[in-house]
Amino acid sequence: MDAYFDNSASTKVSEKAIDIMLKTMREDYANSSAKHIKGVDAEKYVKDAAETIAKTLKVKKSEIIFTSGGTESNNMALLGTAMAKKRLGKHIIISGIEHPAVYMPATFLAEEGFELTVLPVDKTGIVDLEVLKESIREDTILVSIMYVNNEIGAVEPVDEISKIIKSKNANTLFHVDAIQAYTKFKINPKTQGIDMLSASGHKFHGPKGVGFLYIDGNVKINPIIFGGGHQRGMRSGTLNTTGIAGMGVAAKEAYDEFDDRIEKIKSLKNFIMDELEKIDGAVLNTGRGDNFAPQIISVSFEDIRAEVLLHALEDRGIYVSSGSACSSNHPGISGTLKAVGIREDLLDATIRISLSELNNMDEAKYLIDNLKELLPLLRKFVRK
């Protein structure tokens, strides 16, 4: 049996998404910017996807900018804001558990003369709201906080964060990295006070290499990619019609079947967590309830190196992650785990189990059975 539990790294592309992608490659393959009828046919896929995604967020389709994925979306939000607002201020705030796609451009901006404040989080990964409140100043141009942490699944209080930001400085923009949250939560940027929001297609059964950035119509940021002036000049480059079409279909599927999908994922998560709690030496870094995402489980195992366990599971057709696959093929010690105060001896002993609706109970039981069998064997080997 194969059991794929690395869905936060990437998901299997849905059959409906594949079908429409093949159609764009076999039939409607023209450049969507071309003026002839073939170009118009290709452009319709882009417009349909923008409309679909906009409906899932209850925003205008003109507020959706297509990108190459979550990393570009995050970079566009941070760098674009910095360039547009540097005369108003050079202070930026992020949390201590941001993905490298936010942390690295923020660090780059700090090297270029911007001032960066990194907020602490508590042991569950939630941002310290009092420190946030104290940190916002007249020259704070941007706060960027992720919706769901990609390693432990902590869900940040986005609504409350937005209220704090706007009450302290109405001109400060709020960007949300929703790459692990989009399609797992019903998100409404207008009512939640989100100015910009990033998402990536391959996290919700769409293709890789495509994502989007929502930018509120009243927000003005500078483009970071220049060329032919595509997408109203905000992101130049020939549009990836195939990827955009597939992502649009995947987004529609996800929200059309939202309640059933999330309920299934939650039931699998609860079962796995119940069983992990029975295993000696297992330490759960993820909780239950509304403060944690339904699809992510972080667990540490005493006296076991994560990489060793990962490959032992892989040999049995079980695929998990020993860290964020987005950071590199060989990630170092997780900044998130350090930030939430995981014990030193567990920092390199942690795996992430991430679920989708394509997983089932047989796979979950197979995972648990193999963990129960492998852990004593691996510990025995380590102690020799």
Side-chain angles (χ1 to χ4, degrees):
M1 174 188 289
D2 269 7
Y4 181 79
F5 291 109
D6 199 16
N7 290 281
S8 287
S10 198
T11 54
K12 182 179 180 180
V13 181
S14 82
E15 290 301 321
K16 288 183 179 178
I18 291 171
D19 287 344
I20 198 168
M21 290 165 68
L22 288 173
K23 190 171 187 299
T24 67
M25 290 187 280
R26 288 173 172 159
E27 300 174 27
D28 301 315
Y29 45 79
N31 189 320
S32 61
S33 298
K35 300 301 181 185
H36 49 66
I37 189 63
K38 294 289 282 184
V40 172
D41 289 343
E43 186 185 26
K44 187 176 187 303
Y45 290 96
V46 176
K47 289 181 175 179
D48 287 349
E51 187 170 346
T52 294
I53 290 167
K55 283 182 179 178
T56 68
L57 295 171
K58 296 182 171 58
V59 301
K60 299 175 183 176
K61 64 180 181 180
S62 60
E63 296 174 314
I64 302 298
I65 301 296
F66 292 114
T67 68
S68 63
T71 294
E72 184 189 332
S73 295
N74 285 339
N75 274 258
M76 184 177 182
L78 270 73
L79 301 180
T81 298
M83 294 304 101
K85 291 186 167 288
K86 59 185 176 182
R87 291 182 181 176
L88 300 176
K90 289 192 170 185
H91 183 225
I92 294 169
I93 299 173
I94 65 172
S95 83
I97 60 169
E98 294 302 314
H99 189 278
V102 165
Y103 177 75
M104 293 306 293
T107 302
F108 165 77
L109 289 170
E111 292 169 352
E112 294 297 308
F114 287 78
E115 184 180 350
L116 179 63
T117 296
V118 180
L119 302 174
V121 297
D122 65 18
K123 63 181 181 181
T124 65
I126 302 302
V127 167
D128 189 318
L129 297 180
E130 286 304 314
V131 177
L132 169 64
K133 193 179 298 183
E134 294 166 4
S135 299
I136 298 170
R137 312 183 314 219
E138 186 178 347
D139 63 338
T140 304
I141 57 173
L142 176 69
V143 176
S144 181
I145 305 288
M146 59 183 9
Y147 204 120
V148 168
N149 180 264
N150 53 298
E151 293 186 53
I152 62 172
V155 179
E156 300 299 337
V158 170
D159 299 40
E160 199 169 349
I161 290 170
S162 174
K163 288 175 184 175
I164 290 171
I165 294 168
K166 300 306 179 182
S167 67
K168 291 281 290 186
N169 186 343
N171 294 318
T172 300
L173 296 182
F174 182 30
H175 166 249
V176 172
D177 172 348
I179 290 163
Q180 296 292 345
Y182 182 70
T183 71
K184 310 305 186 298
F185 294 85
K186 292 180 179 178
I187 305 172
N188 188 328
K190 301 294 186 185
T191 61
Q192 293 180 268
I194 299 170
D195 296 306
M196 294 177 285
L197 179 142
S198 303
S200 185
H202 73 111
K203 306 297 188 181
F204 53 91
H205 306 290
K208 298 173 185 66
V210 64
F212 68 85
L213 177 66
Y214 156 77
I215 308 174
D216 184 276
N218 295 316
V219 169
K220 305 301 177 189
I221 69 170
N222 286 3
I224 61 171
I225 296 177
F226 299 89
H230 305 75
Q231 300 195 79
R232 302 179 303 283
M234 284 306 300
R235 200 272 188 181
S236 290
T238 301
L239 288 171
N240 176 7
T241 307
T242 297
I244 290 168
M247 179 172 65
V249 167
K252 184 176 189 306
E253 284 185 283
Y255 280 99
D256 282 350
E257 303 164 8
F258 184 86
D259 293 334
D260 289 342
R261 285 177 52 254
I262 299 303
E263 192 56 42
K264 180 180 181 182
I265 295 170
K266 282 182 177 178
S267 66
L268 290 171
K269 177 184 176 181
N270 288 333
F271 169 78
I272 292 171
M273 289 184 67
D274 286 344
E275 294 301 313
L276 288 172
E277 287 173 345
K278 300 173 186 176
I279 296 177
D280 289 340
V283 180
L284 283 163
N285 308 312
T286 299
R288 306 172 194 257
D290 295 339
N291 289 335
F292 289 90
Q295 79 275 20
I296 296 174
I297 301 169
S298 173
V299 59
S300 305
F301 296 101
E302 294 175 346
D303 303 321
I304 300 289
R305 284 189 61 228
E307 191 172 349
V308 172
L309 178 57
L310 182 151
H311 290 304
L313 290 169
E314 179 186 11
D315 287 342
R316 300 187 177 199
I318 300 169
Y319 304 94
V320 298
S321 172
S322 59
S324 171
C326 302
S327 55
S328 75
N329 290 329
H330 303 285
I333 297 299
S334 162
T336 293
L337 297 182
K338 286 183 177 179
V340 299
I342 298 297
R343 278 169 29 200
E344 190 75 23
D345 62 306
L346 298 180
L347 289 174
D348 194 29
T350 303
I351 65 169
R352 180 185 67 185
I353 301 162
S354 49
L355 310 165
S356 87
E357 68 274 20
L358 299 183
N359 292 122
N360 58 53
M361 191 58 72
D362 287 342
E363 292 173 345
K365 291 176 180 176
Y366 184 61
L367 167 67
I368 295 299
D369 288 344
N370 277 277
L371 283 172
K372 288 179 178 178
E373 182 181 341
L374 285 169
L375 289 167
L377 295 174
L378 294 174
R379 288 194 178 104
K380 184 177 180 181
F381 177 78
V382 167
R383 288 165 183 160
K384 281 185 176 180

